[in-house]
Amino acid sequence: MKQQNSALSRRGFLTRLAALGGAGAVYHGLTTLGLLAVPPAYAGIPAYPAGIGKGRRVAILGAGMAGLTAALLLARAGFEVKVIEANRHIGGRSLTVRPGDSYAEAGREAMVCRFDDGLYLNAGPGRIPHHHTAVLEYCRELGVAMEPYIFASRANLLQSDKAFGGQPIQLRRIKHDLRGQLAEMLAKVPDPAALDATLGPADRSAFLEMLREFGALQSQGGGLVYRGSNRAGYAIPPGAARTPGTLNPEIELKALLDSDFWKNGLFNDMVDYWQTSLMQPVGGMDMIVQGLLRAAVPGGRTVRDLVVTESPVAEVANTATGVRVVHANGTEVADFCISTMAPSLLAKVKNNFTPAYAGALRRIQDAAAFKLGWQATRRFWEEDDQIYGGISWTDHPVTQIWYPSDEFFAKTGVLTGAYNNGATAELFGRLPHDGRVALALEGGEKLHPGFSNWVYRDRALSIAWQNMPHFAGGWQNNPPEADPDAYFRLTVPEGNVMLAGDFLSYWWGWKEGAIRSADLAVEAIVARVGAARQ
Ligand code: PHE
């Protein structure tokens, strides 16, 4: 395989180190080169000298993760902070919907949550990866209890109309039969050294042994073959006495290829930001927002006291001395403004930005995102399918169904019955709620025949983020790559206006990006104030 030069030279360096000083030297070398180190953790919630912001005012637009964390840091540093939120709800896309709660897409009837008490739907974000150290550090410091969010269970299902007569198949069968068959193919390669220059003839037997473990291969006729394995599960499970169990029949590679499972779901738990298990706050994603709102700031106040709600912004203007922000409940004359609004929405607010900046704002357009959740009449996925958490995937527009990661064996629970983005989310977004429910029932039936009998149709909640007032969509897919010019222009303050939000980070679509970008906006303000005082 082709190696990058830097990797080769590192490897050469380490080999030489080993020759000189043994394993200890290699370990030290690895650490020095940054090859072993886990990326640095977030060094706690940033703290600035308490009085540094004294006499300075900052207006923050938007009370989501970016706005609230910026407010906390600035208020603690002595700035006078006002967070201006357009909606009644505080928390931005961190929306957890509980019985009695309501929300409405623009121009539509309000959705009212009719779940049983104690149940909830995370209508926005629902999971946090282990390496999102900033979010997790906030959770730790704010006392937000966390529990596992199960992303993938081997009992989850994959369904495609293109294969297996449309029958849902347990993920373990697909994953392990595919792996076994690929391993068998590789075991037939006569000279592995021809595939990878770092291998020599002496490595052949280790290579084959590794493949045997990797793919659950067996010896046959002097070679290694895949003939099914218990990794792929049983058609008749093993039991007591004379019941050894019967393995599932092996799935042909051709059928696996036809199924398109490899395009939708099969490898998702290998992505950097998704893993087999992630984390979620106990009791709902908005527990993080609640923790932030309770956080103490100078003057005997909390972050909550800094927020004004239901106050859409009408104007943002740079002035000779700072900024002027006109909103429904008043006018703020401040030294700085941090806008966490979707850039395309900020562009529509009356402003005196330079054309280049306004143009860059307009070019970051959010993608649609759709979720539907409903209460089940019983936990059929546990009772009938042995599914305890995780996600099943289908090529039906619902795309995926999330099972609850908590409250196993309870009488009922909430399923995320559809979650998708882009064109599919636009399709759902155009439908009336009833139409969304009908489509989601159809998708549910594909994965769980009988599904329609086991969910309360009148306890469904749907949300198309692109239709929510004061949001532009779910998130913007990869602005740094998609439009680097616009992205980098927006990282530079426009006069006294700075931006923050997941869109201004390489963690777009995640709270982590919102927090990290807010940190930078606060740093920029503190630096300017510090410079002015010197
Ligand atoms: N964080 C969201 C999720 O896990 C949205 C997202 C999806 C962000 C994919 C980046 C990539 O579903």
Side-chain angles (χ1 to χ4, degrees):
M1 246 165 256
K2 236 182 135 199
Q3 295 289 338
Q4 298 208 321
N5 285 339
S6 58
L8 264 185
S9 57
R10 274 198 216 113
R11 190 173 294 167
F13 171 70
L14 290 171
T15 315
R16 252 168 277 139
L17 256 185
L20 287 173
V26 172
Y27 179 86
H28 189 74
L30 284 169
T31 325
T32 317
L33 288 170
L35 294 179
L36 263 193
V38 170
Y42 193 66
I45 298 176
Y48 296 98
I52 196 159
K54 201 159 180 288
R56 311 284 181 143
R57 307 179 74 86
V58 183
I60 298 177
L61 315 185
M65 277 312 277
L68 294 176
T69 53
L72 176 68
L73 306 188
L74 288 167
R76 284 185 174 170
F79 289 87
E80 198 47 53
V81 176
K82 182 166 271 183
V83 184
I84 302 156
E85 169 57 50
N87 285 306
R88 181 167 48 107
H89 169 252
I90 299 181
R93 281 161 290 175
S94 299
L95 174 64
T96 301
V97 190
R98 302 188 177 77
D101 290 352
S102 66
Y103 61 87
E105 292 172 29
R108 288 185 181 230
E109 237 179 85
M111 304 258 16
V112 182
C113 178
R114 301 189 201 286
F115 299 159
D116 286 348
D117 276 350
L119 298 178
Y120 65 85
L121 174 74
N122 284 328
R127 48 192 174 203
I128 300 170
H130 66 86
H131 48 68
H132 282 190
T133 53
V135 196
L136 293 174
E137 191 54 36
Y138 268 93
C139 291
R140 195 194 317 268
E141 292 194 33
L142 297 171
V144 177
M146 304 298 278
E147 64 188 3
Y149 164 95
I150 300 170
F151 183 92
S153 153
R154 292 290 183 258
N156 292 153
L157 301 169
L158 296 175
Q159 187 277 334
S160 162
D161 284 350
K162 296 198 197 75
F164 310 107
Q167 291 301 305
I169 312 274
Q170 248 189 13
L171 192 138
R172 64 162 61 254
R173 294 187 64 188
I174 309 292
K175 205 164 202 115
H176 294 302
D177 282 349
L178 177 61
R179 179 188 273 252
Q181 289 165 16
L182 294 181
E184 178 181 317
M185 281 186 179
L186 272 176
K188 289 179 183 139
V189 171
D191 176 16
L195 297 181
D196 186 314
T198 64
L199 300 181
D203 297 314
R204 179 165 164 77
S205 70
F207 183 72
L208 290 174
E209 277 312 301
M210 180 277 292
L211 284 177
R212 180 201 289 279
E213 295 298 324
F214 179 75
L217 304 183
Q218 308 166 17
S219 303
Q220 198 182 72
L224 287 173
V225 295
Y226 182 69
R227 290 288 174 267
S229 118
N230 62 4
R231 291 180 183 178
Y234 290 86
I236 302 169
R242 298 177 182 227
T243 318
T246 308
L247 292 181
N248 274 322
E250 193 185 330
I251 295 173
E252 298 292 320
L253 184 57
K254 169 81 174 103
L256 290 175
L257 291 178
D258 289 347
S259 72
D260 280 3
F261 288 148
W262 45 278
K263 284 189 198 162
N264 183 22
L266 187 55
F267 303 127
N268 281 349
D269 63 25
M270 299 182 180
V271 177
D272 167 53
Y273 46 74
W274 291 332
Q275 303 107 31
T276 49
S277 69
L278 291 85
M279 277 173 271
Q280 62 184 16
V282 176
M285 188 52 85
D286 68 352
M287 290 298 162
I288 303 178
V289 172
Q290 301 310 327
L292 276 167
L293 292 177
R294 278 195 306 269
V297 294
R301 296 170 304 170
T302 63
V303 171
R304 176 66 189 87
D305 299 325
L306 311 178
V307 184
V308 40
T309 59
E310 294 180 273
S311 201
V313 170
E315 184 185 354
V316 178
N318 274 302
T319 64
T321 51
V323 289
R324 184 178 66 247
V325 174
V326 182
H327 57 112
N329 287 299
T331 295
E332 310 302 322
V333 174
D335 298 279
F336 301 100
C337 170
I338 300 178
S339 171
T340 72
M341 292 167 66
S344 59
L345 297 184
L346 178 61
K348 290 185 189 148
V349 170
K350 187 177 171 212
N351 64 64
N352 59 358
F353 300 148
T354 56
Y357 189 74
L361 286 174
R362 275 192 297 272
R363 273 153 56 185
I364 306 288
Q365 293 285 338
D366 282 32
F370 176 80
K371 253 191 189 181
L372 180 143
W374 33 26
Q375 185 181 342
T377 62
R378 65 184 186 96
R379 291 171 81 104
F380 56 89
W381 57 94
E382 294 177 1
E383 292 165 12
D384 303 348
D385 298 300
Q386 302 155 26
I387 293 176
Y388 296 90
I391 301 174
S392 288
W393 301 85
T394 167
D395 59 8
H396 181 277
V398 294
T399 309
Q400 50 189 303
I401 289 185
W402 293 13
Y403 309 99
S405 292
D406 62 349
E407 304 283 340
F408 298 147
F409 306 145
K411 295 244 169 325
T412 180
V414 170
L415 283 176
T416 301
Y419 172 36
N420 44 64
N421 60 72
T424 314
E426 282 165 27
L427 164 89
F428 271 105
R430 282 190 296 268
L431 295 174
H433 177 70
D434 288 355
R436 297 170 178 179
V437 166
L439 191 55
L441 281 176
E442 191 186 287
E445 282 290 338
K446 299 249 180 198
L447 282 163
H448 298 277
F451 185 95
S452 319
N453 304 316
W454 307 318
V455 287
Y456 295 101
R457 289 161 205 230
D458 55 351
R459 298 189 200 174
L461 293 170
S462 67
I463 188 161
W465 281 97
Q466 66 274 22
N467 297 346
M468 290 292 284
H470 309 295
F471 293 95
W475 59 87
Q476 164 59 38
N477 288 322
N478 208 355
E481 295 276 320
D483 193 341
D485 291 345
Y487 179 83
F488 288 111
R489 176 62 191 89
L490 297 183
T491 61
V492 181
E494 168 80 350
N496 298 307
V497 177
M498 5 276 215
L499 303 182
D502 62 292
F503 63 85
L504 206 60
S505 79
Y506 287 82
W507 282 122
W508 42 272
W510 294 98
K511 288 175 149 53
E512 184 75 5
I515 297 177
R516 299 278 180 165
S517 71
D519 282 358
L520 290 185
V522 169
E523 239 173 61
I525 289 177
V526 169
R528 290 236 204 138
V529 169
R533 291 236 157 96
Q534 273 159 21

